[in-house]
Amino acid sequence: MRPLEYRDFLVDVLKNTPGVQRVEVLEGGPYPFALAATVGGRELRWQVIGQLAEGAKHDTPTAAVQGALPAFEDAPTGGAPDAWLAGVIGGAEPADTERVEVWSAREGKDDAGLTVHFHNGERAFVRLV
């Protein structure tokens, strides 16, 4: 899924997530395809970056492919922000998503973000900024 489409998907999902007080698209700032969500009294700002499937071109959309739903675990709003967002994404049951990797769960890493792998070979990188 392309960054703009995925950002819009996240905005829609977050607007319907319990505990989220506010969601807004951030336009014109230093981070393209960004959004902000206020959760549990704290603001989290995310940027979406995309990677096309192998052989795909920017001028034509990659076909969506649906498959098994990604495995996920719910995480508390006060914990690691990327683990919480992965739980929100998984709870939305996106049939186009193969799996979600939480960056802060990787050994020796403290960056907060996600790699979302889609069934069609595309990826979205959602990083906390």
Side-chain angles (χ1 to χ4, degrees), residues 1 6 9 12 21 28 52 54 72 77 89-90 93:
M1 191 176 294
Y6 201 66
F9 164 78
D12 287 341
Q21 292 91 37
L52 296 176
E54 189 170 325
F72 75 97
T77 58
I89 292 168
E93 298 183 343

Side-chain angles (χ1 to χ4, degrees), residues 7-55:
R7 184 205 52 201
D8 291 346
F9 164 78
L10 290 175
V11 167
D12 287 341
V13 168
L14 288 166
K15 283 182 179 177
N16 296 308
T17 299
V20 175
Q21 292 91 37
R22 184 182 60 84
V23 180
E24 76 176 289
V25 170
L26 302 176
E27 300 280 357
Y31 303 107
F33 311 113
L35 65 105
T38 303
V39 183
R42 67 179 174 162
E43 183 178 80
L44 303 172
R45 291 178 175 239
W46 301 95
Q47 178 188 24
V48 179
I49 302 166
Q51 180 178 350
L52 296 176
E54 189 170 325

Side-chain angles (χ1 to χ4, degrees), residues 57-102:
K57 304 287 183 205
H58 284 282
D59 57 352
T60 56
T62 306
V65 177
Q66 297 191 357
L69 299 176
F72 75 97
E73 293 182 25
D74 283 327
T77 58
D82 51 352
W84 171 80
L85 185 58
V88 169
I89 292 168
E93 298 183 343
D96 60 349
T97 302
E98 178 186 345
R99 70 184 188 279
V100 179
E101 294 176 9
V102 177

